[in-house]
Amino acid sequence: MKADDVSNQFGKRIQFLRKQKGLNQTELADIVGISTEQVSNIERATSRTRIETAAAIADALDVTLSELFDLPLFDKKSKKKTDAIKEHVAFLLKQDEAFIYYVHEQAKLAVDHWKKK
């Protein structure tokens, strides 16, 4: 795997976790003590980051450093599906029961719709 691929995946992972936590780039930058431009550059993989900065980002996003680096390094469909499911479950676990029920019902309706086609 090329370093650029890792940087791209790392940036997307940070962006996903940041949005999941409900933070914009400026808010994350303020918490971590870096510039908004630096957060943007990391997320877009136009610059690399030091491990200390990565640790501060993980802390700001309430994840461990290993969770921050949980990247889909192998471009396999099953790995992508597993990662997507993990991310959705992690999101749902932070929601209240009514929201989870609503999402579940909507998913059932969508599945029924696609089965009919």
Side-chain angles (χ1 to χ4, degrees), residues 11-66:
K12 287 178 184 176
R13 177 82 173 146
I14 290 173
Q15 183 181 51
F16 171 80
L17 293 169
R18 174 181 57 76
K19 288 181 177 180
Q20 185 178 18
K21 187 150 175 69
L23 297 173
N24 62 38
Q25 288 181 340
T26 302
E27 292 166 329
L28 179 60
D30 289 344
I31 294 168
V32 174
I34 60 177
S35 70
T36 303
E37 182 180 4
Q38 190 173 355
V39 171
S40 175
N41 289 342
I42 293 167
E43 288 185 357
R44 292 181 296 115
T46 59
S47 71
R48 308 227 193 291
T49 188
R50 297 178 10 208
I51 192 70
E52 295 84 2
T53 304
I57 290 170
D59 188 47
L61 297 173
D62 293 325
V63 297
T64 65
L65 196 53
S66 62

Side-chain angles (χ1 to χ4, degrees), residues 89-113:
V89 169
F91 171 77
L92 288 172
L93 287 172
K94 295 178 181 179
Q95 307 308 312
D96 66 13
E97 190 175 326
F99 180 78
I100 294 169
Y101 178 78
Y102 172 78
V103 170
H104 177 72
E105 291 301 311
Q106 294 301 310
K108 287 191 324 190
L109 290 171
V111 168
D112 289 344
H113 173 78

Side-chain angles (χ1 to χ4, degrees), residues 72-102:
L73 295 178
F74 302 101
D75 192 23
K76 295 181 180 176
K77 287 183 181 178
S78 62
K79 177 73 172 152
K80 286 182 179 180
K81 286 181 185 177
T82 301
D83 288 345
I85 290 169
K86 284 181 186 177
E87 289 176 356
H88 286 283
V89 169
F91 171 77
L92 288 172
L93 287 172
K94 295 178 181 179
Q95 307 308 312
D96 66 13
E97 190 175 326
F99 180 78
I100 294 169
Y101 178 78
Y102 172 78

